[in-house]
Amino acid sequence: MKTNFSLLFYLKKPKNYTDGTVPIYLRITVNGKRAETTTARSCDPLQWSSKTGRLKGTKESARTFNAYLDQLQAMVYAAHQSLTEQKTTITADRLKNKLTGKTENIRMILDVFREHNRQVSTLVGTDFAKGTLERYQTSLKHTADFIKWKYNVNDIDIRDIDHDFVISYDFYLRSVRKCGNNSAVKYLKNFKKIVRICIASGWLKSDPFINYKAKVKVVDRVFLNNEELKRMAVKEFVTERLGQIRDIFLFSCFTGLAYADVYKLRGAEVIAGPDGEKWINTKRQKTAIPTRVPLLPPAVAILNKYSDSPVCEHSGKAFPVSTNQKMNAYLKEIADICGIPKKLTFHIARHTFATTVTLSNGVPIESVSKMLGHTNIKTTQHYAKILDLKVGQDMSKIRQLY
């Protein structure tokens, strides 16, 4: 990487100086940032030339003195050449440390990232979900590819992470990797956690994200309306597998459970609620937040349908759930068969519960938020949409007053 590099020998008079010799210092400047060190020499200010940075005169003592300064200068240039060949980012402090022989405790950003991922991997199943580890592993790969793309090195010193690094990384994700806005912001959010670790550990002095502003754009979430729910519920499928996928998807539509929560749901987690009806009492896989959902009649009917399934009896689980990838593949087929012109994924069931099943039928958003296992109403607002029909129903009450 190119650097603007300069050296200067100068006299540094101590405070309350009156007369006598003055120590000579060497100032190294790289890209506007300075580092200073003593030359272990001093001289009479009257003998010093600030223009040349050397002693005046041609006497043997002056030539010997200046030769020493020339040697120091040559050592700095040699250090510069060595760092360049090592493809190490050149800073004033590094040149100074190279000159003085001070050993640097260098920490590389990808090493810190890998150690973070190793710890996450160890805690998968307790503090982290498997998907969280996969996201950090993908983010690590993107970070390594970016460093190679921009700096042509395999890793970079933590201290070289600055605002330009962050902005360039953002550009790389959007242009080279072709990431959308929300994906780019999320990858940088993952990387920002690694930066925070470095700051907290004292390895990085300033936050390179301090002037980086990027926001996740609100995506218009898809959900099923009542007519589409009924159409899917009454459809007869040729294969048993499609019928099972449909049932499990509808169960999530009427309970708001995410795929991971339906997958791990056990029959023992269906209990009698305070109203005497059946409730689900479980914890969310993603956040470990308790979730309690009263079961609607369609959900109870689906639950009873699989209560005597051999697979469920053997595993203790409520449903014979396939992998998320298979579920989503079958849901696309189910949508085509049912004539639903929407790209169905299992997560759409959660949005359907929040919008069509609960909020549109007058359930307060605070109750919806609690059933979804959210800790923040803002998160629930991403799932639940207030439809024009609901607005019309609410305003009709006011219309009677006017």
Side-chain angles (χ1 to χ4, degrees):
M1 291 171 278
K2 294 182 179 179
T3 55
N4 294 319
F5 165 57
S6 65
L7 298 177
L8 174 67
F9 290 102
Y10 69 101
L11 301 185
K12 189 173 185 179
K13 294 182 179 178
K15 291 182 179 180
N16 303 320
Y17 171 79
T18 53
D19 57 10
T21 59
V22 176
I24 302 172
Y25 273 71
L26 168 61
R27 176 184 296 158
I28 304 170
T29 305
V30 177
N31 292 333
K33 295 183 178 180
R34 300 173 174 178
E36 298 177 346
T37 183
T38 180
T39 64
R41 295 289 188 276
S42 59
C43 73
D44 187 333
L46 296 177
Q47 295 180 297
W48 182 255
S49 170
S50 58
K51 184 177 180 180
T52 62
R54 298 293 188 274
L55 282 185
K56 300 175 184 177
T58 58
K59 291 183 178 180
E60 182 63 26
S61 59
R63 288 200 301 270
T64 302
F65 194 100
N66 289 338
Y68 171 77
L69 299 183
D70 291 340
Q71 184 180 9
L72 285 181
Q73 179 173 291
M75 290 172 65
V76 176
Y77 278 104
H80 185 279
Q81 179 64 27
S82 175
L83 293 176
T84 301
E85 292 173 352
Q86 296 171 17
K87 294 184 178 181
T88 301
T89 303
I90 298 171
T91 66
D93 283 329
R94 279 190 195 137
L95 289 176
K96 171 187 169 183
N97 291 336
K98 196 85 172 175
L99 176 67
T100 58
K102 182 179 178 181
T103 303
E104 288 188 295
N105 189 9
I106 299 175
R107 290 183 175 86
M108 310 301 278
I109 190 65
L110 295 183
D111 287 341
V112 177
F113 211 145
R114 292 187 189 98
E115 174 59 19
H116 166 271
N117 288 3
R118 187 194 65 77
Q119 293 179 9
V120 171
S121 175
T122 303
L123 298 174
V124 166
T126 54
D127 293 352
F128 296 99
K130 184 179 179 181
T132 302
L133 173 62
E134 292 173 353
R135 286 194 294 274
Y136 277 116
Q137 288 174 334
T138 303
S139 184
L140 170 61
K141 181 181 183 303
H142 286 331
T143 305
D145 291 344
F146 162 69
I147 291 173
K148 188 70 175 177
W149 174 79
K150 181 172 175 63
Y151 303 105
N152 195 30
V153 294
N154 294 324
D155 206 344
I156 192 170
D157 193 314
I158 287 169
R159 293 167 296 180
D160 296 330
I161 307 298
D162 54 13
H163 179 71
D164 177 68
F165 182 98
V166 174
I167 296 300
S168 298
Y169 192 8
D170 182 280
F171 172 77
Y172 168 82
L173 290 171
R174 296 172 190 269
S175 59
V176 179
R177 300 300 309 182
K178 307 297 182 184
C179 293
N181 176 78
N182 290 0
S183 295
V185 172
K186 287 179 181 178
Y187 284 131
L188 279 163
K189 182 180 179 181
N190 290 339
F191 179 70
K192 187 176 181 179
K193 182 184 178 183
I194 308 304
V195 169
R196 289 201 305 269
I197 292 173
C198 295
I199 294 173
S201 300
W203 305 331
L204 191 60
K205 294 181 180 178
S206 59
D207 184 0
F209 280 89
I210 196 166
N211 292 317
Y212 172 77
K213 304 296 180 184
K215 294 184 178 180
V216 174
K217 294 180 180 178
V218 177
V219 179
D220 190 16
R221 303 290 184 179
V222 177
F223 57 87
L224 298 185
N225 57 38
N226 276 314
E227 192 277 329
E228 291 165 336
L229 273 176
K230 292 176 182 177
R231 196 188 312 169
M232 184 181 291
V234 300
K235 189 69 178 179
E236 294 291 336
F237 294 100
V238 177
T239 63
E240 181 182 357
R241 171 57 61 186
L242 287 178
Q244 284 185 354
I245 300 298
R246 183 269 314 272
D247 291 342
I248 297 168
F249 177 78
L250 287 177
F251 182 82
S252 185
C253 287
F254 289 112
T255 60
L257 295 184
Y259 167 80
D261 301 321
V262 174
Y263 179 83
K264 72 178 184 63
L265 183 66
R266 307 185 73 82
E269 293 177 311
V270 179
I271 63 171
D275 56 359
E277 301 292 338
K278 289 185 176 181
W279 285 48
I280 289 176
N281 183 17
T282 185
K283 285 186 177 181
R284 287 206 64 200
Q285 173 75 22
K286 183 177 180 180
T287 59
I289 294 174
T291 300
R292 296 177 180 83
V293 184
L295 289 179
L296 297 171
V300 174
I302 295 172
L303 199 62
N304 291 337
K305 183 177 179 180
Y306 292 91
S307 60
D308 57 353
S309 166
V311 176
C312 296
E313 287 181 351
H314 176 73
S315 65
K317 292 184 178 180
F319 298 106
V321 183
S322 303
T323 64
N324 198 19
Q325 290 81 0
K326 287 184 178 180
M327 295 282 282
N328 288 333
Y330 281 122
L331 282 172
K332 291 177 176 62
E333 184 178 349
I334 290 171
D336 291 337
I337 294 173
C338 296
I340 299 174
K342 295 176 179 177
K343 186 179 179 181
L344 289 190
T345 64
F346 198 89
H347 203 63
I348 286 176
R350 199 161 157 81
H351 292 278
T352 301
F353 173 78
T355 300
T356 303
V357 175
T358 55
L359 196 64
S360 296
N361 288 313
V363 179
I365 196 169
E366 293 82 4
S367 297
V368 177
S369 182
K370 185 174 180 61
M371 287 187 287
L372 289 175
H374 292 159
T375 56
N376 193 321
I377 292 293
K378 288 184 178 180
T379 306
T380 311
Q381 289 171 340
H382 292 307
Y383 283 81
K385 297 291 185 296
I386 299 178
L387 306 180
D388 290 343
L389 178 62
K390 180 66 168 61
V391 173
Q393 292 171 349
D394 293 341
M395 290 302 290
S396 66
K397 302 173 186 177
I398 306 298
R399 189 176 291 112
Q400 296 175 7
L401 300 177
Y402 294 93

